[in-house]
């Protein structure tokens, strides 16, 4: 039983989602981003309002713009979605100590599919090893993948959405994203935007509600508004949506909605998106 065989049949969260994104999805509408999209946008709820197939292609784990740009290129090797809702996050434009090129390593099983992705993978410092050793591409998640074909049940059956069932705890503090702008990430964000335009993909920036919001977080998300305006991209900003943020029962932690909150917010978002898409057609 080869490593690729195990990986592509695994219900382990990362492997299942990546293989769906690269090899199988064909929905007209995609959501991309990190955990604040993965745990938030419920395709079945949004499809009911928009009447269009939706897939949540986002992945937890601080998957920043390095990962997102690489993944978009992988997806475009097979098909072209009509609309991408991109859940922006501070890690997409800030030079943090914990979310940089290492986020690309998870894409090592897909070397050889996209030249653009392979070129970006070279920045990890491990590309040569991945290129030479098929085993090396998979060994990081071998135990998880084995569990994924034996004991782990698939938790992403609603169009890639992964629910959280926890509730925010008292005493939590907001994240403090006090980092400088990363010019390389900003350049990749612009490349992501350009790639969507080149392929006639309607790109929409989104921002889901956050229970605890520091001044630095608000300031960073304001920068995405400036990027959206300068590139003529719609931005659906729900960071401080009162209907959600004033109800702690909707949150799993300071920055993520739980399953109840995700369903409630997805209904709100679906109507916002319907109005946006209708207005832009007229």
């Amino acid at each position: 039983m080869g490593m690729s065989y195990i990986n592509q049949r695994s219900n382990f969260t990362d492997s299942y989602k990546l293989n769906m994104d690269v090899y199988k999805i064909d929905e007209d509408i995609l959501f991309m981003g990190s955990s604040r999209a993965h745990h938030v946008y419920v395709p079945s709820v949004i499809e009911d309002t928009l009447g269009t197939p939706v897939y949540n292609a986002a992945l937890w784990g601080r998957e920043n713009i390095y990962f997102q740009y690489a993944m978009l290129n992988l997806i475009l090797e097979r098909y072209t979605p009509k609309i991408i809702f991109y859940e922006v996050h501070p890690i997409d434009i800030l030079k943090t100590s914990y979310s940089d090129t290492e986020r690309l390593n998870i894409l090592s099983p897909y070397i050889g599919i996209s030249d653009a992705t392979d070129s970006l993978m070279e920045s990890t410092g491990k590309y040569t090893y991945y290129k030479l050793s098929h085993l090396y591409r998979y060994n990081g998640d071998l135990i998880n993948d084995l569990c994924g074909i034996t004991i782990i049940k698939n938790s992403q059956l609603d169009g890639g959405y992964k629910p959280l069932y926890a509730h925010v705890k008292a005493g939590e503090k907001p994240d403090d994203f006090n980092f400088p702008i990363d010019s390389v990430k900003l350049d990749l964000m612009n490349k992501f935007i350009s790639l969507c335009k080149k392929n006639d993909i309607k790109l929409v920036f989104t921002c889901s509600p956050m229970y605890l919001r520091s001044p630095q977080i608000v300031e960073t998300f304001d920068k995405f508004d400036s990027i959206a305006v300068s590139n003529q991209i719609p931005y659906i900003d729900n960071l401080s949506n009162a209907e959600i943020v004033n109800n702690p029962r909707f949150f799993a932690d300071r920055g993520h909605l739980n399953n109840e909150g995700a369903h409630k917010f997805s209904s709100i978002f679906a109507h916002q998106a319907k109005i946006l898409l209708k207005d832009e057609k007229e």
Side-chain angles (χ1 to χ4, degrees):
M1 188 183 298
M3 298 291 291
S4 177
Y5 180 93
I6 295 172
N7 173 266
Q8 292 184 29
R9 287 158 180 76
S10 177
N11 283 326
F12 172 53
T13 295
D14 294 4
S15 299
Y16 174 83
K17 173 58 72 70
L18 293 173
N19 285 316
M20 286 294 296
D21 289 359
V22 175
Y23 297 126
K24 296 183 179 181
I25 60 173
D26 61 2
E27 285 78 2
D28 289 342
I29 297 177
L30 294 186
F31 283 85
M32 296 186 70
S34 58
S35 58
R36 281 180 33 80
H38 196 181
H39 303 307
V40 169
Y41 297 99
V42 186
S44 60
V45 175
I46 298 169
E47 283 181 7
D48 284 345
T49 298
L50 299 185
T52 304
V54 175
Y55 190 80
N56 186 332
L59 183 64
W60 62 358
R62 294 172 173 170
E63 307 302 352
N64 60 31
I65 189 61
Y66 283 103
F67 172 90
Q68 305 301 338
Y69 181 66
M71 176 53 73
L72 178 59
N73 277 281
L74 287 168
I75 290 171
L76 290 176
E77 287 293 326
R78 191 172 53 81
Y79 96 109
T80 303
K82 294 180 180 178
I83 301 170
I84 291 178
F85 290 105
Y86 187 106
E87 178 76 5
V88 296
H89 193 288
I91 58 175
D92 287 326
I93 60 172
L94 298 184
K95 192 173 185 61
T96 70
S97 57
Y98 50 78
S99 185
D100 203 68
T101 59
E102 79 284 346
R103 308 318 305 173
L104 290 165
N105 290 324
I106 197 172
L107 296 176
S108 58
Y110 311 103
I111 284 174
I113 295 176
S114 161
D115 290 342
T117 297
D118 281 13
S119 178
L120 199 56
M121 289 286 292
E122 292 179 12
S123 66
T124 65
K126 297 182 177 181
Y127 179 76
T128 300
Y129 301 107
Y130 292 141
K131 188 81 172 176
L132 294 175
S133 173
H134 196 73
L135 178 63
Y136 191 72
R137 301 180 191 184
Y138 294 95
N139 63 5
D141 281 325
L142 175 58
I143 300 301
N144 290 324
D145 281 341
L146 286 171
C147 291
I149 63 172
T150 54
I151 61 175
I152 295 176
K153 293 183 178 180
N154 193 335
S155 60
Q156 302 175 91
L157 292 176
D158 190 339
Y161 159 70
K162 185 176 178 67
L164 296 177
Y165 295 101
H167 288 86
V168 65
K169 298 177 182 178
E172 284 204 34
K173 296 181 180 180
D175 289 313
D176 184 6
F177 287 101
N178 190 21
F179 300 99
I181 294 291
D182 187 323
S183 60
V184 177
K185 286 182 176 179
L186 197 57
D187 180 59
L188 278 177
M189 178 62 73
N190 287 323
K191 286 183 177 179
F192 188 101
I193 294 168
S194 296
L195 189 56
C196 286
K197 291 181 177 179
K198 178 182 177 181
N199 287 275
D200 294 321
I201 300 170
K202 180 170 185 57
L203 176 63
V204 180
F205 280 178
T206 65
C207 178
S208 59
M210 187 176 286
Y211 183 55
L212 299 176
R213 305 167 302 283
S214 69
Q216 290 85 358
I217 287 177
V218 174
E219 182 181 348
T220 301
F221 279 109
D222 285 343
K223 289 183 172 66
F224 287 110
D225 184 57
S226 298
I227 294 171
V229 170
S230 63
N231 287 280
Q232 297 182 309
I233 298 170
Y235 183 22
I236 303 179
D237 182 4
N238 285 289
L239 180 67
S240 302
N241 184 298
E243 191 172 354
I244 301 296
V245 300
N246 292 334
N247 291 279
R249 76 175 189 275
F250 289 151
F251 288 86
D253 56 34
R254 61 190 177 276
H256 300 89
L257 296 171
N258 58 27
N259 190 50
E260 180 185 2
H263 278 77
K264 173 70 174 178
F265 174 65
S266 289
S267 179
I268 294 171
F269 176 86
H271 286 89
Q272 294 173 333
K274 185 175 183 179
I275 292 171
L276 171 69
L277 296 175
K278 179 182 178 182
D279 287 347
E280 298 210 345
K281 282 183 179 180
E282 295 177 349

